[in-house]
Amino acid sequence: MDWINAIIQGALLGGLYAMFAAGLSLIFGVMRLVNIAHGDLIVLSAYVALTTSVGLGLNPLLALVIVVPVMAGFGYALQRLVLNRTMGDDLLPPLLVTFGLSIIIQNALLMGYSADPQKLQAGPIETASVNLGPITLGVMPVMVFAIAVAVIAGLQWMFYRTALGRAFRATSDRQDIAQLMGLNRAHVFGLAMALSLAVTAIAGVFLGIRTSFDPAAGASRLIFGFEAVIIGGLGNLWGTLWGGIILGVAQTLGAKINPGYQILAGHIVFLLILAVRPRGLFPRMDG
Amino acid sequence: MPDPIISIQGLDAHYGDFQALYGVDLAVEPGQVVAVIGANGAGKTTLMRSISGLLKNKADAIRWQGRPIGALRADQIAALGIALVPEGRLLFPSLSVEENLIIGGQLGRKGPWNLARIYQLFPILQERRNVPATALSGGQQQMVAIGRALMSNPELLMMDEISLGLAPVVIKSIYEALPDIVGEGLSAIVVEQDIAKALSVSSHVVCLQEGRVSLTGGSGELSRDEISKAYFGV
Ligand SMILES: Nc1ncnc2c1ncn2[C@@H]1O[C@H](COP(=O)(O)OP(=O)(O)OP(=O)(O)O)[C@@H](O)[C@H]1O
Ligand SMILES: [Mg+2]
């Protein structure tokens, strides 16, 4: 029963990883930008939530109403004012700039908040649980997983059913021809980054409720996000959810064997899948 | 003579250090079809890319209804009512046939063209509207590319070698649709390597040779000799 419990906890944790991954996947898909600062942006979101929830006396879950638009606006500005200047045929300049951004965010957080670990306090809901026979489910993990599914479903719908999604796919296919359709590439990229950071904001708030965080916590979140994207198959959003679940289950099973194996088990499963299926478990079918 | 809808004067174009166009002049009057001909590498596609804003130009090298537009971005050019059917079709592979057409109309310019009219012009596209655009045959893809450009209700339609790589019967059927298209009062620039085809659809011809205009004149007035001299440079 312990093992089944661990698998379920891992799967639920996978929802959080899928949200780390979805924002990463989105901007890579639309503009081939590998955002090294993604993990730090997740942590930045947690700090923005900390400041709003403490400053305004809000529950961090309610602070989402502020954190999501703030991060989305920041994403749009970041893309238009900084990253768009580096975009071109060469993948390297934007990669280096986001690497620099990662360092800037970490140091700014260190200056503003010190290196002490922080946590978002969401109140009694954090420890609430429901019993399903022998299995006990935390309300928070179930809620996070449900939100992750909703976020992925929402992104999927946006991508394949809306004008914005059509613009994203067209720009991803052929940037120059998309411009001939009257799409301003700089604006489309800005919207993609805004959406990416909106998802990141949600992920950051739930990360901060789940565990404590400090300014250096971004790197491992970036890795988890990357691993979920690659396991699931690049460009497949539902695959990304599966990637997150597999990573989460691997980590909790690893921790069950030996608490020190948690992270290692995730990396090993990632490498095994990469060795067997280099394009991920669910490579994109269409196009 | 009526004022030209678009006039190009002294247009240069470069790819890095390589100069592809030298002082090209061209004007299109409202309702006129101008053919641009020239051998491989003459600079026809470069001219189309310059006009559509994909290559940067000096602002006053290109004037649209008198207004300098050479320095605008491609999406701003499109919003003016200038549409390009690019060489090689270049459809969006992730989009269905219908989505390719819809995105062509996403600027929301008013005019006679909409999905229903495109399907009337090319009925086969309606049958296949939900398949990925690149799953179609070459000729059908070319119809999508033309439809996609028309969906923006352009005032100037530019078509770059729409017959390239297509079977003669397909070319014939596409060119048969042309009178319907320009009959709507729009102006057009048609790029063709096939001289006879170019002369038959246009009222005015511009011949490019190694990036320079080597000949211009009325489509009915130029002799074969003049054209082949301007075309091949012999
Ligand atoms: N992206 C590019 N980079 C460098 N040079 C280019 C590029 N595109 C075209 N050229 C060069 O510019 C010149 C004009 O090319 P362009 O494609 O405009 O010719 P074209 O008349 O359209 O030829 P074709 O009939 O083969 O389509 C050629 O010498 C070509 O090699
Ligand atoms: Mg060409």
Side-chain angles (χ1 to χ4, degrees), chain A:
Chain A
M1 221 57 237
D2 269 11
W3 290 95
I4 294 182
N5 203 36
I7 289 174
I8 292 173
Q9 304 304 338
L12 295 179
L13 174 60
L16 185 61
Y17 292 170
M19 282 197 282
F20 292 169
L24 207 53
S25 174
L26 178 80
I27 49 164
F28 183 81
V30 173
M31 51 184 152
R32 302 286 175 273
L33 172 71
V34 178
N35 184 3
I36 300 291
H38 191 73
D40 305 291
L41 289 162
I42 294 172
V43 174
L44 174 64
S45 306
Y47 277 105
V48 174
L50 180 71
T51 297
T52 32
S53 70
V54 170
L56 302 178
L58 282 177
N59 187 299
L61 292 172
L62 280 177
L64 275 172
V65 181
I66 294 169
V67 181
V68 169
V70 164
M71 289 305 291
F74 176 66
Y76 187 84
L78 174 69
Q79 186 68 40
R80 294 283 319 236
L81 300 176
V82 180
L83 296 176
N84 272 346
R85 297 171 195 277
T86 69
M87 307 291 289
D89 293 334
D90 191 353
L91 289 178
L92 200 56
L95 192 88
L96 292 177
V97 169
T98 59
F99 182 68
L101 180 66
S102 156
I103 292 168
I104 291 171
I105 293 174
Q106 285 183 32
N107 282 287
L109 289 176
L110 209 51
M111 277 166 52
Y113 293 91
S114 86
D116 299 340
Q118 305 281 353
K119 194 170 167 308
L120 299 177
Q121 305 296 344
I125 194 174
E126 283 186 45
T127 48
S129 62
V130 286
N131 289 314
L132 297 174
I135 302 207
T136 305
L137 293 178
V139 168
M140 264 322 280
V142 171
M143 191 171 103
V144 171
F145 187 83
I147 287 173
V149 172
V151 163
I152 301 273
L155 286 175
Q156 183 83 11
W157 174 81
M158 181 280 304
F159 244 87
Y160 292 98
R161 293 280 175 277
T162 68
L164 180 63
R166 212 156 44 222
F168 282 159
R169 282 181 290 143
T171 303
S172 167
D173 282 348
R174 303 183 187 281
Q175 287 183 16
D176 49 349
I177 305 299
Q179 304 210 80
L180 295 183
M181 307 295 119
L183 295 167
N184 179 359
R185 179 175 60 186
H187 179 61
V188 172
F189 283 1
L191 292 176
M193 187 55 90
L195 199 58
S196 168
L197 289 206
V199 175
T200 300
I202 301 174
V205 168
F206 286 114
L207 171 75
I209 294 174
R210 188 188 166 89
T211 57
S212 61
F213 52 91
D214 59 66
S220 64
R221 272 68 205 185
L222 173 69
I223 301 283
F224 296 164
F226 267 130
E227 289 181 341
V229 173
I230 306 288
I231 292 174
L234 215 50
N236 181 337
L237 283 165
W238 287 116
T240 297
L241 181 62
W242 280 110
I245 291 172
I246 290 169
L247 188 64
V249 170
Q251 287 188 359
T252 46
L253 288 182
K256 185 114 192 62
I257 296 165
N258 178 331
Y261 289 171
Q262 178 181 353
I263 307 299
L264 183 65
H267 294 335
I268 289 175
V269 167
F270 165 70
L271 288 175
L272 284 178
I273 290 175
L274 201 60
V276 181
R277 301 281 297 263
R279 298 186 58 213
L281 294 177
F282 312 98
R284 198 163 80 165
M285 308 297 175
D286 54 341

Side-chain angles (χ1 to χ4, degrees), chain B residues 44-45 87 160-161 191:
Chain B
K44 307 181 293 296
T45 298
E87 183 177 71
D160 193 351
E161 302 211 35
V191 170

Side-chain angles (χ1 to χ4, degrees), chain B residues 119-159:
Chain B
Y119 288 149
Q120 215 178 325
L121 185 68
F122 301 121
I124 183 70
L125 297 187
Q126 182 159 25
E127 266 171 53
R128 313 218 58 195
R129 66 178 187 276
N130 291 321
V131 306
T134 43
L136 299 183
S137 73
Q140 291 165 353
Q141 286 191 36
Q142 194 57 269
M143 293 172 190
V144 178
I146 294 170
R148 182 177 69 176
L150 287 173
M151 283 291 286
S152 68
N153 282 299
E155 288 180 57
L156 176 69
L157 177 67
M158 305 191 289
M159 294 184 280

Side-chain angles (χ1 to χ4, degrees), chain B residues 41-101:
Chain B
K44 307 181 293 296
T45 298
T46 304
L47 177 58
M48 298 299 107
R49 293 173 58 83
S50 294
I51 297 173
S52 58
L54 292 175
L55 290 176
K56 285 279 150 274
N57 313 292
K58 287 206 291 289
D60 55 4
I62 305 175
R63 286 178 181 273
W64 176 251
Q65 296 165 354
R67 178 187 152 199
I69 61 161
L72 296 185
R73 294 190 312 264
D75 57 295
Q76 296 171 317
I77 300 281
L80 294 174
I82 300 179
L84 172 66
V85 182
E87 183 177 71
R89 307 181 276 269
L90 306 183
L91 301 180
F92 300 111
S94 312
L95 272 57
S96 69
V97 167
E98 186 153 301
E99 286 180 314
N100 266 277
L101 295 173

